[in-house]
Amino acid sequence: MTDPTPIPHAPEQRPQGHSPAVAEGLLVNAAGRAGPTGPGAALETDATVDASSSDVTSALPVRSVTDVVQAQLEAYNAHDVEALLACYAPSAAQWEYPDRLLAQGHAALRERMAARFVDMRPQATLLNRIVLGSVVIDHERILNQSSDGASVRELIAIYEVDPADLTAVSASAGPNENGRIRSARFVFGEPRPA
């Protein structure tokens, strides 16, 4: 299911027709320009935010919250830590629902995910996705393949994505955090043999 509601964006828009790729920690198309990725995708802008100010200077893509979460799921399945981190705000946190902190910030997320990818070689299958505003809820089945054998577990992931607003910085997000996952909370099911 795609999210038909685009993330808020700067006034000037122009559609492009390129497929998405992850580059320089930002989601852009293969030509380095922003563009919709399918029906209902957000229109892109020709503006970016300088990390040291709120000046609009060049090209930053604006993606739907669904696109951001889907990109992190694909990076997870590819075991690509850096592509996964590009989807998370620098100060993002992962929690075991409701309030047990698993990791916060890129350094801790990198350490957690790199170890998980080596130890468990996980593969996620998306079973269902619900989108409401800036919240994406995924129901997934995770296949882990450790040295102890294969196991499977279901989980619910609740992602909060900071909207990509190029004209203002929200109270919860700095300029480098807009359009990225701010928080992920996981409800883990019991593992069972695969």
Side-chain angles (χ1 to χ4, degrees):
M1 175 178 140
T2 59
D3 177 14
T5 307
I7 297 174
H9 51 277
E12 287 190 24
Q13 307 168 4
R14 75 178 160 79
Q16 301 289 326
H18 304 283
S19 9
V22 176
E24 298 296 338
L26 301 173
L27 298 170
V28 296
N29 63 30
R33 284 173 278 159
T37 60
L43 293 179
E44 314 301 342
T45 70
D46 286 324
T48 191
V49 176
D50 178 1
S52 63
S53 74
S54 60
D55 294 332
V56 175
T57 57
S58 65
L60 171 71
V62 178
R63 304 280 309 271
S64 75
V65 296
T66 305
D67 290 338
V68 173
V69 172
Q70 184 61 36
Q72 74 81 40
L73 178 65
E74 291 168 6
Y76 179 90
N77 281 338
H79 303 162
D80 186 338
V81 175
E82 296 309 312
L84 186 130
L85 290 176
C87 300
Y88 280 85
S91 64
Q94 290 183 338
W95 305 83
E96 181 174 356
Y97 184 86
D99 59 3
R100 186 172 80 85
L101 183 63
L102 300 172
Q104 184 166 14
H106 276 185
L109 289 169
R110 180 179 288 110
E111 182 180 336
R112 178 174 188 266
M113 297 315 298
R116 180 156 173 66
F117 291 160
V118 169
D119 295 343
M120 305 300 280
R121 299 186 331 268
Q123 288 295 303
T125 301
L126 181 63
L127 302 176
N128 195 21
R129 175 169 285 159
I130 300 170
V131 179
L132 181 60
S134 63
V135 177
V136 178
I137 302 171
D138 282 356
H139 177 199
E140 302 173 5
R141 181 175 299 119
I142 309 295
L143 173 64
N144 291 310
Q145 302 168 50
S146 72
S147 58
D148 296 334
S151 66
V152 67
R153 76 183 332 175
E154 291 189 19
L155 69 80
I156 296 170
I158 305 163
Y159 300 101
E160 293 178 78
V161 179
D162 272 318
D165 182 350
L166 302 179
T167 61
V169 177
S170 71
S172 64
N176 272 347
E177 298 187 5
N178 288 335
R180 299 194 201 181
I181 297 167
R182 163 185 0 143
S183 172
R185 293 186 188 272
F186 305 108
V187 180
F188 296 105
E190 291 299 318
R192 61 184 191 279

